[in-house]
Amino acid sequence: MAFSSILYSPVHFPLREPRSHLPRSRQLSVTAALPPAADVAAVADALDGTTIAVIGGGSVAALAAVLSLSDPEKRRQMQAEEVGGGDKEVVREYFNNDGFQRWRRIYGDGDDVNKVQRDIRLGHSMTVENVMKMLLDEGPLAGVTVCDAGCGTGCLSIPLAKEGAVVAASDISAAMVAEAEKQARNELLEGKEELPAGLVLPRFEVSDLESLNGKYDTVVCLDVLIHYPQNKADAMIAHLASLAENRLILSFAPKTFYYDLLKRVGELFPGPSKATRAYLHAEADVESALQKAGWRIRKRGLTTTQFYFSRIVEAIPA
C-alpha cells in the first residue's frame, strides 16, 4: 500500500525551486542540500497539535539526547499484541481502519487536510508524476502490463489505466482496494456505461506483497518498503523483480544519519500517523538487493517537499 515516506519531522530544503517553476524535465533529478539543522519548532505542525519543547540551536547532539526519554518500540510491540501478530498484521489493521480514513483524505483532493497533510499530498503526487514520466519516456503504455504493488487508493493505477496500460493492482488493505476500485470507475467511466476505446479498468485485489504472482512487463511499488526492515526488504525486492520482465520501479524513504535521527525524534511523540513502524532504507542496500536479484539501476530520482522525501529507482535486468 502506498504509504508516504514522511519521517514525522520537518526538513527544509531552501535550494528547491517552487513546484510551479520546476520543469517536468527536471522533476526526476530533483536534489536538495541538507540544511545544517532541522527547524524543530515546526515539528508541532507534524504532530497533530502536540506541543513540544523547542530544542535551541537545532543541535543534532541535543536532538539525539532526547531519544532516551521514550520507548517507541514498546508501543509497537503493544500494537502487535493487540492485533495478534507482527508488522504485517499491524499494517493491515491500521489501513483498514483509522489509517484508511487518514490516508484517503491525504491522497484525495478535498480541503479537509491540515498543512502537513497537504504537503505530504503534494510530495506523493510528485512521486506519481515522476514515475509516470519514467514509464512514458520508454514509449506509449497502451497494452503494457503493469503490476501496481501496494496501490493504496489508486493514485498510480488510475493514471496508468488512462494511458492504456493493463493494470493489476493490489493492496493489503481491503478498505484501500475498495476505494481504489471506486475511484477508478468514477474517473475512467465518467458516468458512462462503457470505457473509451483502448482503456481497461484496473484489476484490483486484496493481497500482501508476498502473495503476488504472475508476470508483468513492469512492476511498480511506491512507498511500501517503509513497512519492511532491510532483511525482509531484500527478499521482497527479489520477489517483485521475479514478477517483472522489463522494469521494476521502487520508491522508498532514504536512510541517512540525518533522516534517521529526525525520524527517531518524531517517534517520541505518539500520534495517529505513527501507528505503524517506519523503516528507512539506504540506497546502497536497495541497489545491492537488486544486484543480487540480477537487476541494475538505470534511473534515479528524489522527491522532496517539506515533510515528504522519497527516493525513486528504476531497475532493469542486468
Side-chain angles (χ1 to χ4, degrees):
M1 120 229 12
F3 182 55
S4 170
S5 302
I6 183 174
L7 304 190
Y8 312 124
S9 295
V11 178
H12 294 293
F13 297 89
L15 300 185
R16 178 178 174 271
E17 298 176 55
R19 176 72 177 98
S20 59
H21 301 296
L22 190 62
R24 288 184 59 84
S25 61
R26 292 189 53 204
Q27 289 178 21
L28 199 59
S29 59
V30 171
T31 58
L34 285 176
D39 181 2
V40 184
V43 173
D45 286 337
L47 300 176
D48 299 310
T50 302
T51 301
I52 65 173
V54 177
I55 302 175
S59 166
V60 171
L63 290 174
V66 304
L67 293 177
S68 61
L69 300 179
S70 181
D71 186 2
E73 183 59 29
K74 185 174 182 180
R75 294 202 305 269
R76 310 298 190 203
Q77 292 174 354
M78 293 175 61
Q79 290 166 342
E81 291 173 1
E82 288 177 1
V83 298
D87 280 354
K88 184 189 297 186
E89 288 72 23
V90 171
V91 169
R92 181 184 291 112
E93 177 72 13
Y94 174 68
F95 282 99
N96 273 324
N97 295 285
D98 292 345
F100 166 66
Q101 299 299 333
R102 177 184 178 84
W103 291 99
R104 179 178 62 172
R105 292 196 304 273
I106 292 174
Y107 292 152
D109 56 8
D111 296 326
D112 54 340
V113 289
N114 59 36
K115 175 184 176 181
V116 175
Q117 292 170 336
R118 192 178 300 278
D119 183 83
I120 298 168
R121 175 190 290 175
L122 170 63
H124 186 260
S125 67
M126 289 170 63
T127 291
V128 170
E129 288 180 21
N130 286 340
V131 169
M132 288 298 297
K133 184 179 185 302
M134 275 185 171
L135 294 170
L136 289 168
D137 278 349
E138 301 302 310
L141 295 177
V144 175
T145 57
V146 182
C147 172
D148 183 6
C151 65
T153 58
C155 298
L156 177 66
S157 295
I158 296 171
L160 285 170
K162 288 181 177 180
E163 291 290 337
V166 179
V167 183
S170 62
D171 199 282
I172 194 172
S173 163
M176 287 285 192
V177 167
E179 180 67 17
E181 190 164 19
K182 173 185 171 183
Q183 293 293 337
R185 289 186 173 276
N186 288 343
E187 292 194 35
L188 294 171
L189 286 170
E190 296 181 327
K192 300 175 183 177
E193 293 292 329
E194 297 182 0
L195 285 170
L199 300 190
V200 180
L201 276 172
R203 173 173 56 85
F204 292 100
E205 68 171 328
V206 180
S207 174
D208 56 33
L209 296 188
E210 293 84 349
S211 301
L212 296 178
N213 53 40
K215 280 289 185 180
Y216 307 89
D217 177 88
T218 299
V219 174
V220 184
C221 185
L222 301 186
D223 294 351
V224 180
L225 290 179
I226 198 168
H227 300 300
Y228 287 82
Q230 189 59 52
N231 63 326
K232 293 184 178 180
D234 288 353
M236 185 48 54
I237 289 171
H239 176 60
L240 293 173
S242 74
L243 306 177
E245 294 183 330
N246 295 310
R247 286 181 294 190
L248 172 61
I249 297 178
L250 305 170
S251 74
F252 53 93
K255 181 178 178 65
T256 66
F257 172 78
Y258 196 86
Y259 289 172
D260 188 49
L261 180 58
L262 292 177
K263 169 182 169 291
R264 292 173 64 198
V265 170
E267 282 188 331
L268 297 177
F269 306 93
S273 64
K274 287 160 285 187
T276 60
R277 186 185 280 107
Y279 297 100
L280 313 186
H281 297 285
E283 185 173 350
D285 290 336
V286 173
E287 185 164 15
S288 176
L290 287 166
Q291 289 173 345
K292 290 177 183 177
W295 290 64
R296 65 178 177 85
I297 295 178
R298 179 171 63 174
K299 296 179 182 178
R300 306 169 194 261
L302 178 65
T303 303
T304 64
T305 65
Q306 187 176 7
F307 295 94
Y308 173 103
F309 12 102
S310 182
R311 172 65 72 184
I312 307 170
V313 296
E314 179 194 56
I316 59 175

